[in-house]
């Protein structure tokens, strides 16, 4: 340490500063450009997953981004686990309290009739209760008398 309290490195540890110009008879060290640094490519963004939507009779659009349960007053617990509960207005009272479950899995949307009274129809074909059934994009999904369209974007 010096008298002002600074730490002083031992002699020879730090090289002397280069002179601004070389002394007569000396050559200046060749100047090499620093190598260019190209940062590594980051992870490629994942392809956008399709978004499934239910278009309800009043024109309301409901995105299906995870498991959902449809009905007049649905319970959010399904045999497959927790799901988002979506209550449907049903003036004819043909939709069960907890009618059907929808699960979006990438390019595929599946519906399960949760043993409803009036069933689930996909483009006029009845889905078997308790069995996951694939729903193609553009299909009409019918719960009791309530009709809705399935879209994928």
């Amino acid at each position: 340490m010096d008298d002002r309290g600074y730490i002083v490195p031992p002699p020879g540890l730090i090289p002397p500063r280069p002179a601004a110009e070389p002394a007569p008879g000396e050559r200046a060290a060749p100047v090499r450009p620093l190598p260019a640094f190209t940062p590594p490519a980051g992870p490629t963004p994942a392809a956008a997953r399709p978004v499934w939507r239910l278009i309800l009779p009043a024109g309301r659009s409901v995105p299906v981004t995870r498991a959902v349960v449809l009905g007049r007053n649905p319970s959010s617990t399904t045999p497959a686990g927790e799901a988002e509960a979506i209550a449907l207005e049903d003036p004819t009272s043909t939709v069960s309290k907890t009618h059907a479950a929808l699960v979006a899995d990438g390019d595929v949307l599946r519906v399960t009739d949760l043993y409803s009274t009036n069933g689930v129809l996909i483009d006029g074909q009845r889905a078997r209760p308790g069995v996951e059934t694939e729903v193609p994009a553009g299909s009409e999904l019918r719960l009791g008398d309530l009709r809705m369209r399935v879209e994928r974007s």
Side-chain angles (χ1 to χ4, degrees), residues 7 9 21-22 44 54 56 62 65 74 86 90-91 96 105 114 118 123-124 126 144:
I7 298 174
E21 293 185 22
T44 56
L54 289 176
L56 301 177
V62 178
T65 56
I86 297 176
D90 178 30
S96 295
D105 185 19
L114 299 175
N118 293 311
D123 287 333
R126 185 172 294 276

Side-chain angles (χ1 to χ4, degrees), residues 111-113 119-122 125-131 133:
V111 65
T112 304
D113 181 349
V120 173
L121 286 100
I122 305 164
Q125 300 294 315
R126 185 172 294 276
R128 288 184 38 214
V131 177
T133 307

Side-chain angles (χ1 to χ4, degrees), residues 4-5 10 13 19 28-29 32 35 48 57-58 76 80 85 87-89 92 115 119 124 134-135 142 144-146 150:
R4 292 180 296 180
L13 182 65
R32 286 186 317 183
S76 62
L88 302 172
E89 291 183 32
T92 61
Y115 301 95
E134 191 170 320
V135 181
R142 192 167 151 192
D145 290 337
L146 189 67
V150 175

Side-chain angles (χ1 to χ4, degrees), residues 18-35:
E21 293 185 22
E26 289 183 359
R27 272 187 8 200
V31 178
R32 286 186 317 183
L34 293 175

Side-chain angles (χ1 to χ4, degrees), residues 19 25 37 46 67 77 91-92 100 102 117 134 138 140 146:
F37 173 73
T77 305
T92 61
L102 287 168
T117 303
E134 191 170 320
E140 179 185 76
L146 189 67

